[in-house]
Amino acid sequence: MTQPTPVPVLPGSGVALWRQIADAIRSDIVARDLPKGTALPPEQALALHYGVNRHTVRAAIRALREEGIVRAEQGRGTFVEAGKRLSYHLSQRTRLSESLSGQAGAPSGQLLEEAIEAADARVAAALGLVAGAEIVRLETVSRADGVPVSRSTHFAEAHRFHSLGADFARLGSITQALAAAGVHDYLRGSTTVSARQADAEEMQRLELVPGSIVLVSEGLDVEPDGRVVQVVRSRFAAARVELVIAAPKVGRG
Amino acid sequence: MTQPTPVPVLPGSGVALWRQIADAIRSDIVARDLPKGTALPPEQALALHYGVNRHTVRAAIRALREEGIVRAEQGRGTFVEAGKRLSYHLSQRTRLSESLSGQAGAPSGQLLEEAIEAADARVAAALGLVAGAEIVRLETVSRADGVPVSRSTHFAEAHRFHSLGADFARLGSITQALAAAGVHDYLRGSTTVSARQADAEEMQRLELVPGSIVLVSEGLDVEPDGRVVQVVRSRFAAARVELVIAAPKVGRG
DNA sequence: AAATATTTGTCCGTATGTATT
DNA sequence: TAATACATACGGACAAATATT
């Protein structure tokens, strides 16, 4: 697990060599959990290791610098600036606001858009409504320590949750906005996780570069009595977040 | 959610335009859940929509053809070939072999490598062993319908599971190999999910193109009495798989 | 059946970006 | 820094297969 590093590198793939090298170095920093301040090997060594020219390594490092992953100092070397990913817990009762606390500044939710509209077939089915029923849709971004972490879309039944947008905008938290609508406890039902390249809107909102990856989590929240609260689709910047699914009780509990 | 489509497109980013377009079209096919046989808009319309030359769209479609996502017929159009992703359930008691059955051919596991070695600090801690304790490491690939789905690394205590590799090679399933070692039931403890670009070895084993994404799931399996069985790190081809985390009991259960 | 429109496939040339030496 | 080779992106024109009228 702690070998030198795997070697990528294929031309004509639509991904420039310098970006492949940048991705490899970034993955390596995260995989080996290098703490802030760790020195990267010198450019010449990296070039040799990846089997490319030093210019190409320099282009990769420039990109990582612009991402804030590393810092280069003339005559000294290149050093890890930001390493570890934030852990976002998807366990039954955890909430984003609780989940990330203690790791970084308290996350703040920002409302981008609110709309009342007809549910499409899929959302209606998940919410237990007839297709075309009125729902409220919230588009939000959350940040931790000023860095955008996730971009979410919330769907909820329009009548019961008519003030969800206003409450969220005021309180900065979905849990608190739901509480304002009378939902004082809810559980996470099933969650589906997938990953893909970020689209243009996600790149902008999450401050990502083209080719960046988003973890897509689509989940259903229900009250303890079984009533469905909301459908949530969240997109996390994969370079900054990992999702943790904890078993509720295991063995000795 | 069913707007025309989002528009990416940034040059000088190390990711070729045609690849960004290919990613956008692929995401769109998956997101809108287009069934096999659906016609894509003509190249000219796609070019107009994404604001690029038709040749660039053609390069994107060529890439998607090589991935097996679409099929083009001269004079007729371009059609969706493979749409929906396989769902892999990460719930408490489900196993890969049960999980995927009914969606595709039964998955078959192939042993790539077996090694007895000293545990590094992280694996030792997870397994509840002292650092440097002897463990067995298994490198495997599993396929469904002949298509590679996941590439996994298993770590287990060496003494108790000394024949794990041989059993896995013979039986083609970790669950059955563990059963041969006396583990007849086990639960999934915590799981961590992240995503990143595939490295060279993963590209080869999972038959991916450069820039492809892998979902990385790292989990701990324990017996009902609390004894730790194995640490598993699986890498799934994100274009082919989604992970489903079902709540064990919710509300009315 | 025939003419026309639509759609994918191929070829030309040119300018810019990428990677090496 | 410069010279070189290749990949990327664009623009236009036309051929080949299919669909429409």
Side-chain angles (χ1 to χ4, degrees):
Chain A
M1 251 1 61
T2 324
Q3 306 103 321
T5 332
V7 192
V9 178
L10 287 183
S13 63
V15 184
L17 250 182
W18 63 263
R19 175 145 291 286
Q20 295 184 49
I21 306 292
D23 292 338
I25 294 175
R26 194 198 306 100
S27 290
D28 202 49
I29 291 172
V30 173
R32 303 204 297 173
D33 205 6
L34 300 183
K36 178 170 177 172
T38 306
L40 258 52
E43 291 172 357
Q44 190 52 255
L46 288 171
L48 196 70
H49 177 254
Y50 289 113
V52 300
N53 195 275
R54 193 170 77 95
H55 295 307
T56 310
V57 168
R58 285 183 59 75
I61 288 176
R62 179 179 4 104
L64 293 175
R65 253 195 331 191
E66 282 167 13
E67 287 181 49
I69 307 277
V70 302
R71 163 181 48 89
E73 287 182 33
Q74 174 123 218
R76 296 225 310 133
T78 306
F79 304 89
V80 174
E81 190 69 8
K84 216 171 172 59
R85 283 192 260 229
L86 292 173
S87 292
Y88 171 45
H89 290 258
L90 283 183
S91 349
Q92 275 212 289
R93 264 194 175 78
T94 23
R95 310 284 172 262
L96 183 57
S97 40
E98 307 161 18
S99 172
L100 291 175
S101 59
Q103 301 181 66
S108 61
Q110 183 199 344
L111 181 65
L112 301 175
E113 187 198 342
E114 179 185 14
I116 306 281
E117 58 192 24
D120 65 24
R122 197 166 142 203
V123 169
L127 289 175
L129 304 172
V130 296
E134 278 212 327
I135 55 168
V136 51
R137 171 172 58 84
L138 260 49
E139 304 288 347
T140 68
V141 174
S142 81
R143 298 166 172 267
D145 269 342
V147 182
V149 168
S150 70
R151 166 77 184 78
S152 299
T153 306
H154 303 258
F155 299 96
E157 192 269 312
H159 182 67
R160 181 169 180 207
F161 297 103
H162 58 91
S163 65
L164 196 65
D167 291 337
F168 179 87
R170 182 164 47 90
L171 300 164
S173 150
I174 266 288
T175 298
Q176 291 177 43
L178 289 172
V183 178
H184 297 291
D185 188 24
Y186 61 92
L187 302 168
R188 169 55 59 101
S190 70
T191 304
T192 301
V193 178
S194 57
R196 58 170 171 76
Q197 262 95 4
D199 68 29
E201 199 259 347
E202 290 154 0
M203 275 164 27
Q204 191 215 322
R205 298 292 189 188
L206 295 175
E207 296 171 16
L208 301 172
V209 296
S212 295
I213 300 171
V214 288
L215 270 164
V216 182
S217 124
E218 194 153 343
L220 191 68
D221 287 328
V222 298
E223 286 177 275
D225 64 6
R227 279 189 297 174
V228 174
V229 176
Q230 63 164 350
V231 170
V232 195
R233 186 173 67 238
S234 296
R235 285 136 291 170
F236 298 88
R240 304 199 268 258
V241 179
E242 63 183 12
L243 306 179
V244 178
I245 304 116
K249 278 257 156 41
V250 33
R252 38 198 165 206
Chain B
M1 255 352 64
T2 324
Q3 307 103 319
T5 332
V7 193
V9 179
L10 288 184
S13 64
V15 183
L17 247 184
W18 63 261
R19 174 146 292 285
Q20 297 182 48
I21 306 289
D23 293 336
I25 295 175
R26 194 198 305 100
S27 290
D28 203 48
I29 291 173
V30 173
R32 303 203 300 174
D33 203 7
L34 300 183
K36 179 171 175 170
T38 307
L40 258 52
E43 294 170 354
Q44 191 53 253
L46 288 171
L48 197 70
H49 177 254
Y50 290 112
V52 300
N53 194 273
R54 187 171 78 98
H55 295 301
T56 307
V57 168
R58 286 184 57 73
I61 288 176
R62 188 194 334 122
L64 294 175
R65 255 197 324 191
E66 284 166 11
E67 286 181 49
I69 307 277
V70 302
R71 164 184 44 91
E73 288 180 36
Q74 183 164 19
R76 299 226 310 134
T78 306
F79 305 89
V80 173
E81 191 70 8
K84 220 174 171 55
R85 285 192 257 228
L86 290 173
S87 291
Y88 171 44
H89 291 258
L90 282 185
S91 350
Q92 274 214 287
R93 265 195 173 77
T94 22
R95 308 287 173 264
L96 183 56
S97 40
E98 308 160 16
S99 172
L100 291 174
S101 59
Q103 300 183 68
S108 62
Q110 184 200 343
L111 181 65
L112 301 175
E113 186 198 342
E114 180 185 14
I116 306 282
E117 59 191 25
D120 65 24
R122 194 165 144 204
V123 169
L127 289 175
L129 304 173
V130 296
E134 278 212 326
I135 55 167
V136 51
R137 171 172 57 85
L138 260 49
E139 303 288 346
T140 69
V141 173
S142 82
R143 297 167 173 268
D145 270 341
V147 183
V149 169
S150 71
R151 165 79 183 76
S152 298
T153 306
H154 304 259
F155 300 95
E157 193 269 312
H159 182 67
R160 181 170 180 206
F161 297 103
H162 59 91
S163 67
L164 195 65
D167 291 336
F168 180 86
R170 182 164 47 90
L171 300 165
S173 149
I174 266 289
T175 299
Q176 291 178 44
L178 289 172
V183 178
H184 298 290
D185 188 24
Y186 61 91
L187 302 168
R188 171 53 61 102
S190 70
T191 303
T192 302
V193 179
S194 57
R196 57 170 170 76
Q197 263 97 3
D199 67 30
E201 199 260 347
E202 290 154 0
M203 274 164 29
Q204 190 214 323
R205 298 291 189 188
L206 295 175
E207 296 171 15
L208 301 172
V209 296
S212 295
I213 299 171
V214 287
L215 271 165
V216 183
S217 121
E218 194 154 344
L220 191 68
D221 287 328
V222 299
E223 288 178 275
D225 64 7
R227 280 189 297 174
V228 175
V229 175
Q230 62 164 351
V231 170
V232 196
R233 185 175 67 240
S234 296
R235 284 137 292 170
F236 299 88
R240 299 181 199 134
V241 180
E242 62 183 13
L243 306 180
V244 178
I245 303 116
K249 280 258 158 35
V250 32
R252 36 198 167 209

